[in-house]
Amino acid sequence: MRIKFLIAPLATLFFFGNVSAQKAKQMSLQYKIDYMLKRMTLEEKINMLHGNALFSSGGVKRLGIPELTCDDGPLGVREEIKRFDWNSANWTTDSATFLPNGSAIAATWNPALANKYGVVIGEEANARKKDIMLAPAFNICRMPLCGRTYEYYSEDPYLNAQLAVQAVKGIQSQHVAACIKHFAANNQETDRNMMNAIVDERALREIYFPAFKAAVQQGNAYTVMSAYNKLNGYWCSENDFLLNKVLKKEWGFKGVVMSDWAGTHHTVAAANAGLDIEMGSSGPYDKWYFADPLLAAVKAGQVSEKTIDDKVRRILWLMYHTSMSQNHPKGSIATPEHGKAAYEIASESVVLLKNDAHLLPLNTANIKSIAVIGDNAVRTFALGGYGAGVKAQHEITALEGIKSRFGKTASVTFAQGYKAKYLANNTDAQNSGYDQPDQTLIDQAVALAKTTDIAILCIGSNREFESEGHDRKNLELPFGEQTLVDAVTAANPNTIIVVMAGAPYDLNKIKKSNHTIVWSWFNGSEAGNALADVLKGVVNPSGRLPFTFPVSLNDSPASALNTYPGKDLTAEYKEGILVGYRWYDTKKIDPLYCFGYGLSYTNFTYTDLATNKKTYKKGDKITVSLKVKNTGSVAGKEVVQLYISKLNSSVLRPGKELKAFKKIMIAPGQTAPVLINIAINDLAYFNDKLKNWVIEPGQYRLMAASSSKDIRQTVGFNIK
Ligand code: BGC
């Protein structure tokens, strides 16, 4: 075998003569794939198209093609489980870096950090010999209650795409395939295995597809996972429009579509509609849809051999980029560098929601005692609930972080404050009473808070309460936390509220009654250190919300239009393109906290917003320039957000749409020039009738903003 592989590139050169190195590489790859394919029997081919264990699919031993291995997932490389069941394999070498959750990464508004995240995932996957990482996951946050909001990025397709592309590039820079998921419209967990999402094509093209398209075309993602749900009447794993027409044909996807675990429903329909590998089904492996039944379907002429060959080609293409690639990196796991990357992401993700009393950053000279209160101060988030987690090599809790950053100059004491009595796998009856306060714990917390200079109250949810497999029932803070907040705030006026969660919650009362609110996430191995550094001012907070916090659930589009969770297993996305801030803006509904919001310990002013021309045409690029000044006394990062709106549009357009952003570090007193390009083609809307993108001529408004509601400067321009 080895000798034949050496001959392959030489033969390519001989046959194709003087071609570019890139082209020669492609041709030699084609040659290798053809070479393999020609030597395979139909049975061997089909053996590669379905799982042969929980997290691998078959290879062809005779030809030296290894099996294909994969692992979850977004939070880091999951611990090794047994080959045929979900129990731990009890390895001692699989402790990994726990990376911040998806919405935390999104809150950094920093694509370079999404890339760093990807590199860590890729390196750790290599150390564990995994060819595919089932990450990143970036379904649009359509409904704030969705149980996987914490895994996903944002309600905005542009922010989503920028992060997804970089996460994919980072992972794949290590010769590990990213598996982008879940394609498409898996926006709720309620009935996810059965529900039919009815989404018009414009909303698909403008809201639900862009990050997938970008991850394929700009990120070159090697694999895509089809979603559990149906989309417009067809299971996503057998959706010809989704997989064949859009993904493979239109976007030119060269890689492999794999099903979500047990998300395959038929043999012929799925095989012909573009699914390549069936994963996670149950029963004997040779009885799966893509095993013996597929062989029979080929023999009966219901699926062509050409279709089978195309699937195998895709898998081999993926393998030559990953497990069978040259100079395949060895990888490394839970290294100090990976911990540093987790810290950087976490520290840029923390969002300062309110700082009215200017209590933050804490002045260590004046603080001699700190009460840290709340179950979340001592809780870890690497594991929990239903869905993938990480056996974290270390995870710094908030209490540990605060002790390490403040413990030398202040006494740090702890009270639990509330009991987090909720398990994702429990029934409602078993979980009943989870929202009740625990008066004994509250009394203890109040007694402690009365004696200290500062109280840091760590509340929010956890990985049991926000979980794959179920949605939350409402936006309320769980575990009686509001009662605890009220009591501790009354006892100590210097109370800082720290919320740790991955999705929007009802913070109405806290926003009204408390002066200091910090939002943290399920923030990875270094969460506690990052949080404490923000509280101390070592890190100036620069996180911005990646989704809207509504005042009330009924304000959110899917609730307002009564389309969630749907009727008779059908959810009609009646809000169309008006998802997230697009809805609140257009309908003039004030949110509690808007998309893109977050404070800093300094202030920024915007001046000199201009475009390089007044009038543009199709294919042009707008060069936007502006100046941002840091007017405060500390260095800080500002996220400059550029929104566009079409004036007097002939079709419905959102009040504004994010089209570019840039995160910049500015020293105190300094002014930073900012240059950002926006392609005119990216201002098109999708015309449902023409089934095409249309750039509407006329007047547009460009807004430079610090959040979606904080527009600092505007300028007009035209498109001819
Ligand atoms: C999830 C996927 C995950 C797969 C394998 C499914 O339940 O939806 O995101 O990759 O399980 O663990």
Side-chain angles (χ1 to χ4, degrees):
M1 275 312 302
R2 285 236 170 80
I3 293 167
K4 279 173 195 160
F5 274 130
L6 278 177
I7 292 170
L10 289 178
T12 320
L13 269 184
F14 177 77
F15 285 119
F16 300 104
N18 193 11
V19 290
S20 74
Q22 180 62 21
K23 196 93 205 222
K25 214 169 146 196
Q26 273 169 24
M27 286 197 268
S28 118
L29 186 58
Q30 271 321 310
Y31 181 92
K32 286 197 261 185
I33 292 172
D34 286 342
Y35 180 91
M36 281 296 187
L37 201 66
K38 272 190 206 132
R39 277 153 187 79
M40 288 166 70
T41 64
L42 179 62
E43 285 76 6
E44 283 170 335
K45 290 174 189 170
I46 283 177
N47 197 42
M48 292 179 74
L49 306 186
H50 59 89
N52 65 356
L54 255 179
F55 280 93
S56 60
S57 51
V60 185
K61 217 170 183 179
R62 183 177 72 82
L63 297 172
I65 302 173
E67 61 179 22
L68 194 57
T69 57
C70 57
D71 206 351
D72 279 301
L75 298 175
V77 187
R78 186 212 293 262
E79 78 172 298
E80 192 67 17
I81 58 169
K82 292 194 172 144
R83 200 169 155 82
F84 299 113
D85 69 53
W86 293 86
N87 292 316
S88 167
N90 294 317
W91 283 16
T92 52
T93 51
D94 56 351
S95 295
T97 305
F98 166 30
L99 287 144
N101 65 292
S103 46
I105 294 173
T108 69
W109 286 63
N110 188 342
L113 290 179
N115 189 285
K116 235 178 214 186
Y117 154 90
V119 171
V120 172
I121 292 274
E123 287 182 347
E124 302 211 349
N126 276 329
R128 292 277 312 285
K129 304 219 175 336
K130 304 296 178 192
D131 309 324
I132 304 174
M133 279 304 293
L134 307 175
F138 47 80
N139 291 92
I140 284 285
C141 303
R142 168 182 186 248
M143 192 345 122
L145 300 181
C146 173
R148 297 184 90 170
T149 303
Y150 79 90
E151 269 188 85
Y152 301 155
Y153 287 156
S154 175
E155 67 187 22
D156 178 75
Y158 180 79
L159 177 60
N160 209 16
Q162 300 311 302
L163 300 163
V165 167
Q166 289 307 321
V168 167
K169 283 189 171 175
I171 295 173
Q172 296 191 168
S173 69
Q174 301 307 309
H175 302 218
V176 170
C179 182
I180 56 177
K181 63 190 190 181
H182 311 83
F183 193 52
N186 179 182
N187 309 101
Q188 65 187 56
E189 291 298 286
T190 304
D191 300 323
R192 66 172 179 176
N193 294 310
M194 294 168 289
M195 61 89 64
N196 181 14
I198 306 289
V199 195
D200 65 68
E201 189 165 351
R202 181 169 180 205
L204 287 175
R205 301 280 183 174
E206 292 188 24
I207 307 290
Y208 298 97
F209 283 175
F212 285 99
K213 182 181 182 185
V216 165
Q217 294 191 329
Q218 297 165 42
N220 192 24
Y222 299 152
T223 66
V224 171
M225 185 187 288
S226 57
Y228 279 130
N229 48 287
K230 289 180 184 170
L231 174 64
N232 293 330
Y234 298 92
W235 297 109
C236 289
S237 58
E238 50 187 69
N239 196 312
D240 183 62
F241 168 77
L242 198 60
L243 304 181
N244 279 338
K245 292 212 171 71
V246 174
L247 177 67
K248 290 183 173 176
K249 205 154 170 229
E250 226 182 86
W251 298 350
F253 176 64
K254 294 199 210 67
V256 172
V257 178
M258 61 167 60
S259 71
D260 200 342
W261 268 233
T264 311
H265 299 270
H266 301 101
T267 298
V268 175
N272 287 334
L275 183 72
D276 300 310
I277 301 184
E278 173 191 13
M279 290 302 293
S281 300
S282 52
Y285 289 92
D286 55 358
K287 298 289 175 274
W288 283 19
Y289 296 108
F290 273 22
D292 289 352
L294 184 54
L295 185 65
V298 176
K299 289 189 172 152
Q302 294 166 300
V303 176
S304 71
E305 247 196 279
K306 202 167 145 235
T307 300
I308 301 297
D309 283 355
D310 175 66
K311 298 183 195 305
V312 175
R313 271 178 201 287
R314 288 170 180 275
I315 297 169
L316 289 171
W317 180 85
L318 154 71
M319 285 181 153
Y320 282 119
H321 284 92
T322 55
S323 56
M324 305 205 296
S325 67
Q326 283 169 354
N327 307 320
H328 193 93
K330 281 221 307 273
S332 54
I333 194 157
T335 63
E337 290 72 34
H338 294 177
K340 201 167 154 269
Y343 170 83
E344 274 179 62
I345 300 168
S347 59
E348 283 205 25
S349 75
V350 174
V351 184
L352 179 61
L353 293 177
K354 198 172 173 193
N355 195 19
D356 279 4
H358 299 288
L359 193 57
L360 296 178
L362 290 172
N363 181 348
T364 45
N366 299 338
I367 296 167
K368 293 290 162 246
S369 54
I370 302 175
V372 179
I373 296 167
D375 181 82
N376 269 356
V378 291
R379 186 171 279 265
T380 55
F381 300 107
L383 292 168
Y386 179 84
V390 182
K391 183 160 109 191
Q393 184 242 26
H394 73 276
E395 181 177 349
I396 308 290
T397 63
L399 181 62
E400 286 165 346
I402 292 166
K403 276 191 173 156
S404 104
R405 275 24 180 194
F406 294 92
K408 284 210 182 84
T409 53
S411 77
V412 179
T413 43
F414 171 72
Q416 177 158 357
Y418 67 89
K419 249 195 213 119
K421 301 174 291 203
Y422 188 100
L423 291 176
N425 287 329
N426 272 1
T427 60
D428 282 355
Q430 288 167 322
N431 277 327
S432 84
Y434 75 87
D435 48 354
Q436 293 309 306
D438 184 314
Q439 201 51 50
T440 312
L441 293 180
I442 293 179
D443 292 345
Q444 287 165 2
V446 165
L448 181 65
K450 274 187 181 154
T451 67
T452 57
D453 296 331
I454 296 276
I456 302 176
L457 199 38
C458 298
I459 56 165
S461 70
N462 57 42
R463 293 280 315 289
E464 295 291 340
F465 194 65
E466 282 179 52
S467 167
E468 184 182 329
H470 70 257
D471 295 337
R472 281 179 293 149
K473 294 196 170 56
N474 53 50
L475 292 177
E476 273 166 40
L477 285 167
F479 317 136
E481 289 173 2
Q482 187 63 56
T483 313
L484 173 70
V485 169
D486 295 343
V488 172
T489 308
N492 188 328
N494 293 329
T495 293
I496 297 166
I497 309 295
V498 176
V499 191
M500 298 169 195
Y505 279 81
D506 178 354
L507 299 187
N508 281 289
K509 187 151 188 228
I510 291 179
K511 187 182 177 191
K512 210 181 283 158
S513 316
N514 290 78
H515 46 66
T516 314
I517 314 170
V518 177
W519 188 272
S520 187
W521 309 90
F522 305 139
N523 231 344
S525 283
E526 288 287 323
N529 286 335
L531 173 69
D533 281 343
V534 167
L535 298 176
K536 201 171 173 180
V538 175
V539 170
N540 188 351
S542 65
R544 300 288 184 265
L545 293 179
F547 33 62
T548 309
F549 280 43
V551 169
S552 134
L553 185 61
N554 293 334
D555 290 348
S556 72
S559 292
L561 299 173
N562 201 13
T563 67
Y564 167 86
K567 238 202 219 133
D568 303 330
L569 298 179
T570 302
E572 212 181 314
Y573 287 25
K574 288 186 191 153
E575 72 283 3
I577 56 164
L578 297 184
V579 175
Y581 67 90
R582 287 166 166 74
W583 167 266
Y584 298 94
D585 269 0
T586 311
K587 301 287 175 191
K588 308 218 178 335
I589 301 168
D590 274 333
L592 184 70
Y593 287 113
C594 69
F595 174 77
Y597 175 79
L599 302 172
S600 164
Y601 295 149
T602 186
N603 289 305
F604 301 97
T605 54
Y606 290 46
T607 55
D608 300 288
L609 176 68
T611 55
N612 61 329
K613 291 199 290 183
K614 280 280 146 245
T615 303
Y616 298 87
K617 57 180 190 325
K618 192 177 161 190
D620 280 354
K621 187 175 76 186
I622 314 177
T623 301
V624 181
S625 57
L626 71 148
K627 288 188 179 138
V628 181
K629 183 173 183 187
N630 178 345
T631 58
S633 56
V634 290
K637 287 186 177 170
E638 170 68 336
V639 180
V640 176
Q641 303 166 34
L642 297 184
Y643 296 87
I644 298 255
S645 75
K646 170 79 187 76
L647 307 183
N648 310 316
S649 176
S650 62
V651 294
L652 171 80
R653 301 284 296 247
K656 67 173 90 66
E657 295 176 82
L658 183 73
K659 290 294 170 187
F661 64 87
K662 201 170 200 172
K663 193 169 200 179
I664 36 168
M665 178 68 156
I666 312 176
Q670 295 296 302
T671 300
V674 182
L675 275 185
I676 305 179
N677 290 326
I678 298 176
I680 289 294
N681 291 2
D682 290 344
L683 307 189
Y685 75 91
F686 190 82
N687 186 310
D688 257 329
K689 290 198 191 78
L690 300 176
K691 300 251 172 268
N692 216 341
W693 293 93
V694 171
I695 304 168
E696 219 189 343
Q699 280 182 301
Y700 287 76
R701 180 187 293 135
L702 169 74
M703 290 157 266
S706 189
S707 78
S708 62
K709 298 286 277 182
D710 184 4
I711 312 297
R712 300 297 181 83
Q713 289 211 292
T714 63
V715 67
F717 65 91
N718 286 294
I719 298 182
K720 262 203 305 224

